[in-house]
């Protein structure tokens, strides 16, 4: 099989990830923060070291501000529901995933909030337009770092500066498609809530995600329960990460995420990104079929995500042909980003998405282009 659905989840994972998940879970698979025995304390110390590693990887505010979640969707729900109040105003973009759009839509109903959606100008959100829309009621600005449909990638530092210079709104970034392939500096970009999922370009397993926050934010816990300490307190403890982490931690996922990030550090994020971009260029150079239209970022600062349209086949039919006749796995449809497709003019059938990963080869890309040229 030729796997070209890395934006859904990277597959396979680096060998190191599978190995460390087994090794560390065999060695430290006890409940952290729940016991005072030696092994539990050692496991807790290891998890704290991993928080520090993650914090340094993204230049966050401190290891306590690294909150483990189940995935990006979970982290986005925690952040959005934790800060939004009745009658607040939120500015976001049409490029967002349903993991942002749906929590906001539910809040529109239950708390009567107002949500404004910015279109990109070309590939980028225009900070002059953002500035014009910011006002005193704007509580939150939510921006997708890299689109999962086209790879369009935003200039986070310019957006962060614009928000901070012109409002008191919080800045929330969904980096689910960029984290691990495009460097992000949380503090430099003035990000208050940085969200990503563990199982895409960070090479971790499913079931683990990240919310890295600015400790200055005012945020209510979204889910409450056991914290392993302060059990006499009838409410969720106030300190981070415990305010936002309730229940037993997914340490198996934490160990896998650690190994994934180490793989990126050992390989080099630039090397990973440039290999993926090289493969994307190879695909674009070799696609000669006049019936095919390509929608993708023209910039080298974007991940290798290519959306394809064919005059004679729907995206779903094209994906079926690629899979059933040629063993090529891609993804067709709206990719949980309906407003992005409305903006691109590809709603309601969406596109065929080819998402290239570090483990793809030139040979695989040439096979795909030659198959697409025949159709
Ligand atoms: C841009 C973006 N945001 C959020 C998500 C949600 O990630 P998860 O399903 O891991 O919560 C995805 C997943 O495809 C995504 O591409």
């Amino acid at each position: 099989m030729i796997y070209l659905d890395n934006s859904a989840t990277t597959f396979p994972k680096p060998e190191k990830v599978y190995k460390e998940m087994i090794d560390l879970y065999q060695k430290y698979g006890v409940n952290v923060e729940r016991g005072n025995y030696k092994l539990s304390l050692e496991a807790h110390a290891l998890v704290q070291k991993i928080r520090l590693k993650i914090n340094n990887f993204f230049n966050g505010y401190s290891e306590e501000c690294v909150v483990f979640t189940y995935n990006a969707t979970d982290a986005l729900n925690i952040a959005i529901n934790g800060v939004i109040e009745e009658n607040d105003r939120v500015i976001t973009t049409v490029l967002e995933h349903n993991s942002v759009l749906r929590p906001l839509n539910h809040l529109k109903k239950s708390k009567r909030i107002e949500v404004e959606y910015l279109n990109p100008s070309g590939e980028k959100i225009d900070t002059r337009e953002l500035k014009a829309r910011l006002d005193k009621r704007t509580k939150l600005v939510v921006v997708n770092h890299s689109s999962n449909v086209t790879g369009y990638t935003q200039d986070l530092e310019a957006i962060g500066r614009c928000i901070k210079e012109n409002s008191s709104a919080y800045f929330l970034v969904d980096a689910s498609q960029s984290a691990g392939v495009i460097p992000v500096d949380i503090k430099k970009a003035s990000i208050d809530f940085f969200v990503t999922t563990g199982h895409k370009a960070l090479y971790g397993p499913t079931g683990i995600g990240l919310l890295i926050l600015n400790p200055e934010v005012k945020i209510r816990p979204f889910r409450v329960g056991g914290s392993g300490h302060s059990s006499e307190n009838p409410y969720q403890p106030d300190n981070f990460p415990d305010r936002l982490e309730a229940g037993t931690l997914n340490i198996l996922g934490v160990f896998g995420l650690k190994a994934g990030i180490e793989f990126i550090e050992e390989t080099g994020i630039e090397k990973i990104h440039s290999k993926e971009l090289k493969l994307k260029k190879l695909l674009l150079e070799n696609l000669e079929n006049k019936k095919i239209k390509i929608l993708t970022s023209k910039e080298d600062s974007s991940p290798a995500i290519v959306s394809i349209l064919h005059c004679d086949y729907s995206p779903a039919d094209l994906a079926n042909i690629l899979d059933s006749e040629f063993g090529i796995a891609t993804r067709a449809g709206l990719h949980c980003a309906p407003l992005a497709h409305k903006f691109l003019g590809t709603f309601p059938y969406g596109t065929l998405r080819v998402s290239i990963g570090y483990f793809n080869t030139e040979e695989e890309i040439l096979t795909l282009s030659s198959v697409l040229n025949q159709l």
Side-chain angles (χ1 to χ4, degrees):
M1 192 226 341
I2 297 178
Y3 183 78
L4 287 162
D5 195 20
N6 290 283
S7 285
T9 195
T10 48
F11 179 78
K13 306 296 177 192
E15 267 313 306
K16 178 187 172 85
V17 172
Y18 300 119
K19 187 170 178 316
E20 286 215 12
M21 283 178 74
I22 295 175
D23 289 354
L24 289 175
Y25 199 54
Q26 270 181 338
K27 199 163 166 198
Y28 295 106
V30 296
N31 206 324
V32 293
E33 283 223 5
R34 300 293 193 271
N36 275 330
Y37 45 89
K38 201 159 161 270
L39 190 58
S40 176
L41 296 174
E42 277 174 19
H44 174 66
L46 177 57
V47 169
Q48 293 308 99
K49 258 175 83 180
I50 298 172
R51 286 190 207 270
L52 181 60
K53 167 182 274 302
I54 293 170
N55 185 66
N56 293 342
F57 188 77
F58 293 111
N59 196 26
Y61 298 91
S62 77
E63 68 262 42
E64 288 81 26
C65 297
V66 173
V67 176
F68 290 117
T69 63
Y70 300 131
N71 45 41
T73 305
D74 186 39
L76 288 161
N77 271 280
I78 293 171
I80 292 170
N81 288 289
V83 298
I84 295 299
E85 285 162 345
E86 199 83 23
N87 295 321
D88 277 345
R89 203 162 154 269
V90 177
I91 299 176
T92 188
T93 83
V94 295
L95 298 175
E96 304 309 308
H97 191 274
N98 268 339
S99 302
V100 168
L101 300 176
R102 284 182 175 158
L104 291 175
N105 287 340
H106 279 261
L107 283 170
K108 267 201 229 172
K109 263 197 198 164
S110 65
K111 289 198 191 290
R112 290 190 298 278
I113 66 163
E114 200 181 297
V115 182
E116 290 202 31
Y117 305 89
L118 298 172
N119 284 334
S121 156
E123 300 188 18
K124 304 277 188 212
I125 295 303
D126 182 344
T127 47
R128 283 165 308 182
E129 198 190 340
L130 173 61
K131 183 178 169 186
R133 303 255 200 133
L134 286 165
D135 68 7
K136 278 195 184 137
R137 272 179 59 223
T138 311
K139 173 67 79 60
L140 188 65
V141 178
V142 189
V143 172
N144 176 305
H145 189 197
S146 294
S147 159
N148 62 323
V149 179
T150 54
Y152 293 174
T153 295
Q154 302 308 320
D155 180 346
L156 297 181
E157 284 173 31
I159 295 175
R161 209 175 314 119
C162 172
I163 297 168
K164 297 301 157 184
E165 283 174 1
N166 297 290
S167 75
S168 56
Y170 293 137
F171 182 24
L172 192 170
V173 172
D174 175 5
S176 298
Q177 293 294 340
S178 57
V181 74
I182 293 162
V184 178
D185 187 321
I186 293 179
K187 282 201 284 206
K188 213 166 163 197
S190 310
I191 297 169
D192 297 300
F193 298 99
F194 173 84
V195 166
T196 190
T197 202
H199 64 95
K200 299 187 194 271
L202 291 177
Y203 296 107
T206 49
I208 190 80
L210 290 171
L211 169 60
I212 304 179
L213 46 83
N214 177 345
E216 310 274 299
V217 297
K218 290 198 177 73
I219 181 165
R220 301 175 300 274
F222 176 59
R223 71 168 79 77
V224 295
S227 53
H229 66 88
S230 315
S231 298
E232 71 292 348
N233 184 347
Y235 302 105
Q236 196 65 16
D238 249 354
N239 65 296
F240 294 124
D242 299 344
R243 194 189 306 179
L244 303 175
E245 273 179 10
T248 299
L249 205 59
N250 171 14
I251 53 165
L252 184 61
V254 171
F255 294 154
L257 185 56
K258 163 196 175 284
I261 291 177
E262 276 172 3
F263 170 81
I264 297 164
E265 287 172 333
E266 285 155 15
T267 311
I269 192 164
E270 290 80 16
K271 187 174 166 196
I272 293 174
H273 189 207
S274 69
K275 180 182 171 189
E276 293 179 2
L277 275 189
K278 204 171 142 206
L279 293 176
K280 172 181 157 180
K281 283 186 182 153
L282 187 68
L283 174 66
L284 299 185
E285 279 162 16
N286 280 279
L287 277 180
E288 291 163 346
N289 189 341
K290 297 273 177 297
K291 292 181 173 176
I292 279 178
K293 186 178 168 201
I294 304 286
L295 295 165
T296 187
S297 169
K298 292 188 174 55
E299 297 190 359
D300 281 351
S301 53
S302 299
I305 299 172
V306 180
S307 262
I308 292 177
L309 292 166
H310 193 291
C311 310
D312 297 341
Y313 299 102
S314 71
D317 287 345
L318 200 53
N320 278 339
I321 295 169
L322 291 179
D323 178 40
S324 58
E325 294 182 28
F326 302 97
I328 301 174
T330 57
R331 178 156 173 212
L334 296 176
H335 317 104
C336 303
L339 300 187
H341 284 282
K342 283 187 179 162
F343 171 73
L344 295 166
T346 47
F347 190 86
Y349 301 110
T351 54
L352 176 91
R353 183 182 69 187
V354 172
S355 49
I356 298 167
Y358 185 66
F359 296 112
N360 286 123
T361 62
E362 290 190 3
E363 209 187 334
E364 289 177 329
I365 296 300
L366 292 174
T367 304
L368 173 70
S369 51
S370 119
V371 166
L372 285 172
N373 285 339
Q374 289 164 37
L375 293 170

